[in-house]
Amino acid sequence: MKLLRVGEPGAETPAVRDEDGTTRTLAGLTDDIDGAFLSSGGIDRVRTALAEGSLPVLDTAGLRIGAPVARPGKVVCIGLNYRDHAEETGAAVPERPVVFMKDPSTVVGPFDPVLIPRGSVKTDWEVELAVVIGREARYLTSSQEAAECVAGYAISNDVSEREFQLEYSAQWDLGKSCESFNPLGPWLVTPDEVGDPQQLGLRLAVNGEPRQDGSTKNMIFEVGYLVRYLSQYMVLRPGDVINTGTPAGVALGLPGNPYLRDGDTVELSIDGLGAQRQTLVNA
C-alpha cells in the first residue's frame, strides 16, 4: 500500500492509493497517519477497508502532498553509509554506523520549497531511503525482529549545510536541522509492496543534471542491521524516521562543489517509492 497525506500544512487529510492508482480518503478511519495510527494496527485496518471497497475516492487535483507521516518523534540519521560517499568526502569507511539526530520539525512535504539558510554558501542535497518505524523497537536481537518493526519506506532528502555541519561545530546538528531540511514522501510504502529494501535504485538530479545514481545494495550497514543496532541505544517508537545514508554524488564531493542556490530545482526518485521535486529559495 501507499499511504499519503494531502492538504495544507497542519490540515492534511490521510489517504491511500489503491492498486489502480486511485486516491481514497482515510478520514473515516483515522485523523492522521502518525505514531498512534501505526501502533494501533492502522495499516491492517486500511487494508481491510480497501478489500471491502468502503473508502471514498478523494479528488487530489491541485492539492499539496504533505509528508506521509505526521509529527515524527525523532529523525535518526546514518552518515557515510555508502562506501563511495565516504570516499568522495575524504572520510574513512566507518566500522560502526555513524549516528546523528535531525530536528523532526525539518520534515516537510516532498514538493515543498527548501529554504537556503541565511548566511549559507554550502547547502547540499542527499537522496536517501527513509525507514518509518511501526512498532516499538527496544533491544532487538535480530534483523528479523527489526523487519517486523518497520511500517514502511519513503524517499528522504537529507538536505545539509556543509559549512554549518563540518566547520562550525564538532557535532553535525547545525548543518542538518535547518528549516525545511528534510522533504519526505510522497508516499509511505508498506514493506510487502517494496520487497527487498536492499535492491532499490536511488537517483537525484539538480536543474535536470544527474548527480546521484546509486543502489541500496551498496549500503555498508543494511536496514535490518541499522534498526537492530539503534534499538540497543535508544527506543525507536512508531512514527520515528531513520534516514539510512546517501550514495556518492553530493556537491561536497563533486569538482567545483556546485552547492545549491536560490532558484535551483532538485528532483529525487527511488524505485517503487515515487519521486520528489523541490525548488530552493532564500530564507
Side-chain angles (χ1 to χ4, degrees), residues 158-197:
D158 178 18
V159 186
S160 309
E161 211 298 341
R162 302 302 188 188
E163 185 176 35
F164 299 178
Q165 175 191 353
L166 301 173
E167 301 175 39
Y168 286 3
S169 172
Q171 302 293 327
W172 288 3
D173 301 54
L174 293 182
K176 294 287 189 173
S177 290
C178 303
E179 185 179 7
S180 75
F181 263 28
N182 205 136
L184 187 69
W187 311 314
L188 172 63
V189 185
T190 52
D192 59 302
E193 185 165 331
V194 171
D196 186 352

Side-chain angles (χ1 to χ4, degrees), residues 7-24:
E8 293 306 305
E12 293 93 344
T13 296
V16 62
R17 282 170 58 98
D18 63 19
E19 290 184 356
D20 66 7
T22 301
T23 302
R24 298 182 180 275

Side-chain angles (χ1 to χ4, degrees), residues 27-70:
L29 286 180
T30 182
D31 292 333
D32 215 337
I33 299 170
D34 55 12
F37 166 82
L38 296 173
S39 65
S40 64
I43 289 177
D44 289 338
R45 293 197 300 276
V46 173
R47 187 172 283 116
T48 298
L50 275 175
E52 294 173 346
S54 60
L55 297 175
V57 172
L58 177 65
D59 182 4
T60 60
L63 293 181
R64 167 186 175 270
I65 298 178
V69 179

Side-chain angles (χ1 to χ4, degrees), residues 6-269:
V6 296
E8 293 306 305
E12 293 93 344
T13 296
V16 62
R17 282 170 58 98
D18 63 19
E19 290 184 356
D20 66 7
T22 301
T23 302
R24 298 182 180 275
T25 181
L26 300 181
L29 286 180
T30 182
D31 292 333
D32 215 337
I33 299 170
D34 55 12
F37 166 82
L38 296 173
S39 65
S40 64
I43 289 177
D44 289 338
R45 293 197 300 276
V46 173
R47 187 172 283 116
T48 298
L50 275 175
E52 294 173 346
S54 60
L55 297 175
V57 172
L58 177 65
D59 182 4
T60 60
L63 293 181
R64 167 186 175 270
I65 298 178
V69 179
R71 302 173 297 280
K74 53 184 172 287
V75 178
V76 188
C77 303
I78 308 300
L80 306 174
N81 196 28
Y82 289 73
R83 187 177 300 272
D84 57 0
H85 175 54
E87 291 173 349
E88 75 172 344
T89 62
V93 175
E95 296 182 4
R96 294 166 65 96
V98 175
V99 180
F100 62 95
M101 309 294 284
K102 194 161 190 168
D103 182 351
S105 70
T106 59
V107 173
V108 295
F111 304 102
D112 290 346
V114 168
L115 302 181
I116 297 175
R118 295 178 184 179
S120 168
V121 294
K122 296 182 179 181
T123 294
D124 206 345
W125 59 81
E126 293 188 9
V127 60
E128 306 202 7
L129 175 67
V131 178
V132 177
I133 299 299
R135 66 174 69 171
E136 184 174 283
R138 179 176 178 271
Y139 294 117
L140 302 177
T141 60
S142 69
S143 292
Q144 178 58 40
E145 275 192 306
E148 293 171 357
C149 294
V150 174
Y153 301 92
I155 303 172
S156 183
N157 187 356
D158 178 18
V159 186
S160 309
E161 211 298 341
R162 302 302 188 188
E163 185 176 35
F164 299 178
Q165 175 191 353
L166 301 173
E167 301 175 39
Y168 286 3
S169 172
Q171 302 293 327
W172 288 3
D173 301 54
L174 293 182
K176 294 287 189 173
S177 290
C178 303
E179 185 179 7
S180 75
F181 263 28
N182 205 136
L184 187 69
W187 311 314
L188 172 63
V189 185
T190 52
D192 59 302
E193 185 165 331
V194 171
D196 186 352
Q198 304 306 149
Q199 296 294 325
L200 304 177
L202 310 87
R203 293 160 294 275
L204 182 145
V206 179
N207 298 327
E209 183 174 353
R211 292 299 192 184
Q212 292 184 277
D213 187 358
S215 172
T216 57
K217 69 182 180 182
N218 295 322
M219 282 184 184
I220 298 170
F221 305 103
E222 297 186 346
V223 168
Y225 181 92
L226 291 173
V227 175
R228 184 196 64 77
Y229 180 85
L230 292 171
S231 78
Q232 310 306 307
Y233 303 100
M234 64 186 77
V235 179
L236 300 173
R237 303 188 188 281
D240 286 352
V241 175
I242 302 171
N243 287 337
T244 58
T246 197
V250 300
L252 176 65
L254 290 173
N257 304 124
Y259 292 113
L260 295 167
R261 297 290 183 261
D262 182 55
D264 286 347
T265 60
V266 180
E267 297 171 283
L268 307 80
S269 65

